[in-house]
């Protein structure tokens, strides 16, 4: 998969979290993910069509998303609930939107669907296409999260 298609998602993720939740994140080394098990406890998934078809998923561990949502809401959130799930859906939508704008500047036009959110330890993420799943791990001061990009070849 062309790195030019991945970098906008990395940039958008870091920018959205810093802007919306005042959380700085560090990007780890991308890798080819072989299984469907989520790395986190809450995952936002959004389908993409256009230049090619695929999905992106943003999966947060509990500690990282509780801190992110607490910062977004301006109050301490201590457990995973519907408000957290809604926030993950909105974060996924914002990341998708910013990444698609950057991709459009490269001449790659994508449309996005409405995000879905999956919660629970050890849940699976089934991507829409069977293309390679590129996982990009991130760390924050409070925890970790991973974005997955899966696009048709």
């Amino acid at each position: 998969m062309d790195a030019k298609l991945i970098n906008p998602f990395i940039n958008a993720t870091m920018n959205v979290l810093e802007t919306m939740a005042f959380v700085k994140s560090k990007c780890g080394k991308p890798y080819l993910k072989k299984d469907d098990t989520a790395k986190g406890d809450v995952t936002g998934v959004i389908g993409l069509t256009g230049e090619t078809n695929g999905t992106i998923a943003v999966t947060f561990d509990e500690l990282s998303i509780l801190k992110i949502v607490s910062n977004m809401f301006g109050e301490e959130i201590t457990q995973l609930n519907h408000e957290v799930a809604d926030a993950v859906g909105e974060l996924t939508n914002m990341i998708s939107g910013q990444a698609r704008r950057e991709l459009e500047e490269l001449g790659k036009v994508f449309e996005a669907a409405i995000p879905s959110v999956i919660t629970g330890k050890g849940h699976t993420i089934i991507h829409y296409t069977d293309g390679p799943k590129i996982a990009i791990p991130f760390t924050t001061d409070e925890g970790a999260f991973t974005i997955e990009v899966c696009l048709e070849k």
Side-chain angles (χ1 to χ4, degrees):
M1 187 181 301
D2 188 350
K4 288 180 183 172
L5 295 177
I6 300 296
N7 289 337
F9 292 99
I10 295 171
N11 297 338
T13 300
M14 295 174 76
N15 187 40
V16 165
L17 291 181
E18 190 165 342
T19 303
M20 299 305 297
F22 317 107
V23 170
K24 292 191 178 210
S25 57
K26 289 183 182 176
C27 178
K29 184 177 178 181
Y31 62 93
L32 183 62
K33 187 175 177 214
K34 302 276 188 185
D35 64 17
D36 294 328
T37 303
K39 301 294 182 193
D41 305 312
V42 184
T43 301
V45 181
I46 193 164
L48 300 174
T49 60
E51 186 74 21
T52 185
N53 297 322
T55 50
I56 64 164
V58 187
T59 183
F60 298 90
D61 71 16
E62 185 173 354
L63 292 177
S64 70
I65 196 58
L66 289 176
K67 178 62 176 175
I68 289 165
V69 175
S70 293
N71 285 2
M72 289 174 66
F73 291 178
E75 63 183 84
E76 187 176 356
I77 306 295
T78 59
Q79 63 182 6
L80 299 178
N81 57 29
H82 289 293
E83 289 178 332
V84 173
D86 287 346
V88 169
E90 187 56 35
L91 287 168
T92 305
N93 200 32
M94 287 188 279
I95 290 167
S96 166
Q98 282 197 17
R100 287 183 290 121
R101 270 194 297 280
E102 189 174 331
L103 287 164
E104 192 170 328
E105 292 171 5
L106 300 172
K108 313 279 187 193
V109 178
F110 288 91
E111 298 293 327
I114 297 170
S116 297
V117 177
I118 308 157
T119 62
K121 296 195 183 298
H123 66 270
T124 57
I125 303 169
I126 308 296
H127 287 275
Y128 175 69
T129 64
D130 58 359
K133 292 177 280 195
I134 306 300
I136 303 107
F138 289 84
T139 56
T140 68
D141 288 343
E142 285 73 28
F145 66 93
T146 301
I147 60 172
E148 296 179 16
V149 180
C150 181
L151 301 172
E152 287 178 340
K153 295 177 186 175

